[in-house]
């Protein structure tokens, strides 16, 4: 039997009945050879693929897993709610409890509505901004990911020019380009959309400069447009009350998803009082948006993150990983750049435009027991402790040796 024989067989079957074998960003064809497509189980910070290989997971389902896979408190809360009901003819009591918890947790939030995916949340923010201002133009940073809908998808295949007619781009952290985009929108500016930090695929991550964040707030205030913060990737990992609270910048609307329910399907929009009326006026819904089980999961997730100060724990473990990777690269004489917040690390090799070193590092580290990503930001969870970080660093050692060997 080949080491990945079950995965290989499943991929062959998938190719027959699933377009392209798999849609979107979880397609393992985008990863170095040897990465499995299919998984059997997950527990804490460990992931087991269908062929039985267990690795320490640094993607965390690409963000949702913030406490660790199958966290006991979250799974107990979902089991209790599941025994009562999930998809009913309206939400459970848990909807009100969760909305209250969100408004209590997030200083910028006066209200909260729930959906399923990050794209639902960013799209609703855009609609609410347009409803509240009676205007059309939305500013977004060039290269920032805000979802897979026609208005924001990174691919233009199947997308019409009309879908993008009212989107104007600026460059992240570039105040002059932001001002220029505001000018171009003129009196038709509905909203300015911005990710909590710059986390574009395959390039160094960038924190927002305080001057850039302040200018966004000023321009939104001057024009009456909504400042929309996309917290889908960052939410509940960097800070519980919002990623820009520490800078003193409060958005008018925020989009949340991923980590909110530790892997259960849920997204949210929170907003300031000024947009409550607009949020009440739009028609937004989905068959599964009021399901009670994911809301119970979210309540338990937020409570646990608060109880253990999850962001601080992930920060400490991210710093431990970062220091260990820096030391490992140095031992092998390899130049690397690590960027972004330690809870969401990215490591790129110097002079590695084609990601050959990054791919070699990841492929070898995977075989040695750690699942890293060569060009997308990774994610820590609260289940990563010092022992697991050190174990992953031993796998990284094998990765560095492989990266050094490719010359
Ligand atoms: N915004 C950001 C910043 C994201 O990272 C993502 C997902 N990667 C989305 C929006 C879209 O979320 P979803 O895939 O759940 O629709």
């Amino acid at each position: 039997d080949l080491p990945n024989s079950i995965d290989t067989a499943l991929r062959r079957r998938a190719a027959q009945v699933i377009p392209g074998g798999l849609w979107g960003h979880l397609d393992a064809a985008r990863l170095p050879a040897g990465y499995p497509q299919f998984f059997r189980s997950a527990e804490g910070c460990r992931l087991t693929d269908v062929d039985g290989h267990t690795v320490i997971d640094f993607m965390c389902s690409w963000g949702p897993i913030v406490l660790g896979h199958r966290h006991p408190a979250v799974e107990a809360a979902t089991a209790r709610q599941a025994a009562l009901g999930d998809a009913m003819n309206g939400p459970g009591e848990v909807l009100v409890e969760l909305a209250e918890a969100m408004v209590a947790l997030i200083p910028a939030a006066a209200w909260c509505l729930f959906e399923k995916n990050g794209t639902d949340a960013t799209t609703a923010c855009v609609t609410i901004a347009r409803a509240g201002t009676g205007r059309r133009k939305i500013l977004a940073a060039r290269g920032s990911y805000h979802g897979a809908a026609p208005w924001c998808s990174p691919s233009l295949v199947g997308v019409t020019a009309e879908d993008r007619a009212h989107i104007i781009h600026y460059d992240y952290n570039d105040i002059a380009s932001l001002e220029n985009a505001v000018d171009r929108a003129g009196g038709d500016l509905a909203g300015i959309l911005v990710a909590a930090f710059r986390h574009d695929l395959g390039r160094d991550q960038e924190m927002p400069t305080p001057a850039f964040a302040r200018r966004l707030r000023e321009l939104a205030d001057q024009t009456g447009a909504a400042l929309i913060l996309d917290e889908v990737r960052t939410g509940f990992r960097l800070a519980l009350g919002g990623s820009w609270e520490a800078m003193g910048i409060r958005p008018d609307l925020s989009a949340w998803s991923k980590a909110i329910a530790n892997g259960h399907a849920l997204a949210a929009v929170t907003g300031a009082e000024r947009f409550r009326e607009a949020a009440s006026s739009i028609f937004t819904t989905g068959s599964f948006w009021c399901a009670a089980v994911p809301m119970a999961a979210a309540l338990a997730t937020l409570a646990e993150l608060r109880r253990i100060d999850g962001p601080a724990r992930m920060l400490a473990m991210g710093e431990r990983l970062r220091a260990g990777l820096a030391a490992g690269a140095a031992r092998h004489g390899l130049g690397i750049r690590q960027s972004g917040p330690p809870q969401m690390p990215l490591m790129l090799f110097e002079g590695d435009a084609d990601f050959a070193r990054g791919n070699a590092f990841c492929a070898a580290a995977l075989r040695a027991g750690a699942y890293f990503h060569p060009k997308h930001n990774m994610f820590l969870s609260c289940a990563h402790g010092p022992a697991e970080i050190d174990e992953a660093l031993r796998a990284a050692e094998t990765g560095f040796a492989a990266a050094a060997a490719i010359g």
Side-chain angles (χ1 to χ4, degrees), residues 117-119 145-147 199 230 232-233 258:
N117 288 285
T119 307
Y145 187 73
H146 297 295
H199 43 49
D230 184 347
V232 170
R233 203 177 303 181
K258 290 197 186 276

Side-chain angles (χ1 to χ4, degrees), residues 16 50 71 79 125 170 175 196 202 218-219 257 265 269 271 292 333 356 359 370 374:
Q16 300 301 312
V50 285
H71 187 274
C125 286
Y170 63 89
I175 291 175
E218 282 167 12
L219 289 167
S257 187
V269 173
N359 288 340

Side-chain angles (χ1 to χ4, degrees), residues 10 40 131 133 136 146 252 265 271 274 282 332 356 395:
L10 282 169
R40 179 188 299 158
T133 58
R136 297 177 296 177
H146 297 295
D252 299 301
R274 182 160 81 90
I282 66 163
H332 289 271

